[in-house]
Amino acid sequence: MVTFSNKHTNISSKKMESQQKKILKLHDKLIMGEIDSPSLTSWIDWPESNVIPAFDNIEGILENWKNKGVKKLIMIGIGGSYLGGKAMLDFLKLDSALNPDILFAGNDLSSSKMIEISDFIKNEEYAIVMTSKSGKTLEPSLSFEYFVDKLKQQKPTNYAERVLVITEKDSLLDNAATAAGYLKSEFIDGIGGRFSGLTPLGLIPAMFKGVNYKDIIIGAKKANKDLISDPVNASAYKYATTRYLLSKKLTTEFFIAYESENLTLLDWLMQLFGESEGKEGKGLIPSKLYFTQDLHSMGQLLQEGKKTFFETTIWVKEALELKVPSTVKDHLKINYLSDRTLNSVNHSAMCGTIEAHWESGNVPNLIIEIDNNSPETIGYLYQWFFWAVTMSALLLGVDPFNQPGVEKYKENMSRNLNK
Ligand code: PA5
């Protein structure tokens, strides 16, 4: 379902093998909970645990909303409480960019965006889902109060039944939700924000658009089975080992996508790796590129600039079928491609780019290849990356599950606002 290749790097199989003992030891420690934050490893067993009650609750709420005529959803949250759900929705190609059914808010402090969303939903039947683990993050809190107020103006007597709050038990938000009579679902215990993409808060957007959560969880279970049955040869750990070895000399990893639906996945990866590894002066800088678009802006630098980085291409084998057009006169000289699909042209671009960047440019290129954009695949992929990032951080010797730097910014912002 997901394959990994590091053949376009100078990392030999001998070098990879030299890390195997360490990998196994770290894997055992992770499983035994002998790490810095053992209480934040529930993402490991989540797919195999009893997920039914949590999802039943959400399915019931979404069905009830639909029966009441709800057509649009405002998802409020930031960081890990936002990116998993948005990346999944985009990856599955479920919503329209021009007339979306799901709007994401609370992930910045942009006045224009808030006004634009409220204008867009003004005459719509909508509901609000507020997701914040801590229940006290400023961006989503502001956005939540703003949109609840709009909903209250539209439905003065029954707005509360269209508001769902997902947060930790006894947080500020949890208590506020109880007082206001909003619907509630608990933030799954033992899973941090950026590891929550397979819990209800990550799946709500896809479920609202009709996806069966079970298909996604099946994929995550397969990823667990593949990794746990053979950790030494697991592709997720091979990827972690490769990036760890590359990080000894290089500073940056560019994640690359070739289809627009996979772009938010790169944002999700930037958060997952950046927040999990960027500690104690360590960690690769995760960044993203969209090819072929960025080959026409960053391509020169990538080919011939300072070599401080490597590239990781996320290639999805299946894409929508689109035939290359041909014309009678062939003024633009593209008819030689007329028996091909756009995806096969894109694939040639990918192979040509890797060849140019690695063979002539000496830029290591990793490839993560995925079968398709199905619910099962995204379930597999998320769990695969959870394993990969955890091992990658453990190899660096940092705690994958905390984010003290993010907390610092939150503290400083609130101190400045209280001055
Ligand atoms: O991954 C994380 O833990 C963070 O990115 C959080 O998700 C983010 O800071 C939002 O926090 P909260 O969900 O508490 O509002």
Side-chain angles (χ1 to χ4, degrees):
M1 203 166 262
V2 175
T3 58
F4 168 70
S5 159
N6 64 2
K7 72 174 184 210
H8 304 286
T9 70
N10 55 10
I11 297 190
S12 62
S13 32
K14 211 163 157 209
K15 250 194 214 163
M16 292 290 283
E17 278 159 25
S18 70
Q19 301 296 317
Q20 280 181 354
K21 260 196 189 149
K22 199 160 153 194
I23 298 275
L24 265 189
K25 205 165 156 195
L26 289 171
H27 175 75
D28 288 345
K29 282 185 171 232
L30 170 65
I31 299 296
M32 305 295 286
E34 292 164 11
I35 50 164
D36 290 340
S37 303
S39 63
L40 285 172
T41 54
S42 300
W43 60 267
I44 297 178
D45 296 333
W46 168 249
E48 284 80 20
S49 65
N50 184 12
V51 300
I52 296 171
F55 284 111
D56 265 359
N57 178 25
I58 299 296
E59 272 185 330
I61 291 169
L62 297 182
E63 204 177 306
N64 193 14
W65 282 347
K66 284 194 177 157
N67 291 340
K68 289 190 170 129
V70 169
K71 295 272 184 319
K72 308 245 183 230
L73 210 59
I74 304 182
M75 293 290 306
I76 301 176
I78 195 165
S81 296
Y82 151 65
L83 281 163
K86 169 79 171 127
M88 187 180 289
L89 183 76
D90 290 351
F91 183 89
L92 296 174
K93 296 181 265 195
L94 295 170
D95 212 1
S96 142
L98 300 176
N99 182 17
D101 287 336
I102 305 182
L103 299 122
F104 291 86
N107 53 324
D108 55 26
L109 292 167
S110 162
S111 325
S112 330
K113 200 169 93 190
M114 222 130 115
I115 293 167
E116 198 181 322
I117 294 178
S118 76
D119 283 348
F120 184 74
I121 44 104
K122 182 160 78 213
N123 301 317
E124 300 282 352
E125 291 285 335
Y126 66 97
I128 296 173
V129 179
M130 166 69 166
T131 56
S132 171
K133 179 171 173 148
S134 63
K136 57 177 186 182
T137 308
L138 187 62
E139 293 91 331
S141 297
L142 285 176
S143 187
F144 181 63
E145 295 298 14
Y146 176 82
F147 285 111
V148 167
D149 187 54
K150 300 276 169 209
L151 185 61
K152 197 171 176 179
Q153 288 167 30
Q154 196 200 63
K155 308 248 172 254
T157 54
N158 56 354
Y159 69 97
E161 63 193 40
R162 290 190 178 199
V163 179
L164 167 64
V165 166
I166 304 184
T167 185
E168 259 172 355
K169 207 166 167 27
D170 288 332
S171 70
L172 211 60
L173 178 63
D174 185 41
N175 296 333
T178 310
Y182 302 145
L183 304 166
K184 292 203 304 187
S185 171
E186 219 175 285
F187 204 104
I188 305 298
D189 214 25
I191 301 186
R194 59 191 172 278
F195 287 80
S196 67
L198 294 171
T199 68
L201 81 89
L203 267 62
I204 286 177
M207 287 169 73
F208 187 73
K209 294 294 291 180
V211 171
N212 186 340
Y213 76 86
K214 288 181 187 146
D215 294 334
I216 297 170
I217 299 296
I218 285 173
K221 280 187 185 167
K222 280 192 183 155
N224 271 355
K225 193 165 166 244
D226 287 352
L227 190 129
I228 290 166
S229 62
D230 189 6
V232 177
N233 293 306
S235 52
Y237 281 177
K238 288 210 187 311
Y239 168 55
T241 310
T242 304
R243 62 195 304 289
Y244 167 66
L245 292 170
L246 290 173
S247 76
K248 293 184 182 215
K249 291 210 175 111
L250 304 172
T251 62
T252 305
E253 176 176 27
F254 283 110
F255 291 109
I256 296 165
Y258 279 79
E259 283 281 354
S260 56
E261 62 268 21
N262 305 325
L263 275 176
T264 328
L265 184 72
L266 307 191
D267 293 323
W268 180 76
L269 288 172
M270 281 168 59
Q271 189 215 2
L272 189 65
F273 282 93
E275 266 188 9
S276 303
E277 290 193 330
K279 290 153 206 175
E280 303 171 29
K282 298 178 189 171
L284 283 160
I285 301 167
S287 192
K288 65 167 181 177
L289 292 166
Y290 179 37
F291 284 177
T292 58
Q293 172 187 280
D294 294 341
L295 286 170
H296 298 261
S297 58
M298 292 282 284
Q300 172 61 34
L301 178 141
L302 298 169
Q303 188 73 45
E304 295 180 359
K306 195 170 172 185
K307 296 294 150 62
T308 55
F309 58 88
F310 64 96
E311 299 171 355
T312 299
T313 295
I314 315 280
W315 178 257
V316 185
K317 285 194 241 173
E318 265 177 46
L320 292 178
E321 192 79 1
L322 185 73
K323 289 283 278 175
V324 171
S326 63
T327 59
V328 178
K329 297 214 165 131
D330 195 22
H331 289 306
L332 298 181
K333 303 285 174 235
I334 56 167
N335 274 7
Y336 73 103
L337 296 171
S338 61
D339 58 339
R340 298 182 67 165
T341 62
L342 202 55
N343 187 40
S344 86
V345 177
N346 218 359
H347 189 258
S348 296
M350 194 256 297
C351 296
T353 304
I354 291 178
E355 203 182 308
H357 289 184
W358 169 236
E359 282 166 27
S360 331
N362 207 22
V363 174
N365 262 265
L366 318 184
I367 306 173
I368 294 170
E369 197 167 64
I370 309 164
D371 288 341
N372 51 36
N373 288 72
S374 73
E376 199 177 315
T377 300
I378 194 70
Y380 192 103
L381 195 62
Y382 272 24
Q383 196 72 5
W384 190 91
F385 273 118
F386 292 153
W387 286 110
V389 73
T390 301
M391 182 50 71
S392 201
L394 293 177
L395 281 165
L396 281 181
V398 298
D399 180 356
F401 306 121
N402 67 356
Q403 56 284 329
V406 181
E407 303 308 332
K408 193 111 229 113
Y409 130 80
K410 288 185 189 176
E411 272 165 35
N412 289 355
M413 176 167 68
S414 87
R415 195 192 53 232
N416 290 345
L417 290 168
N418 280 317
K419 264 182 196 163

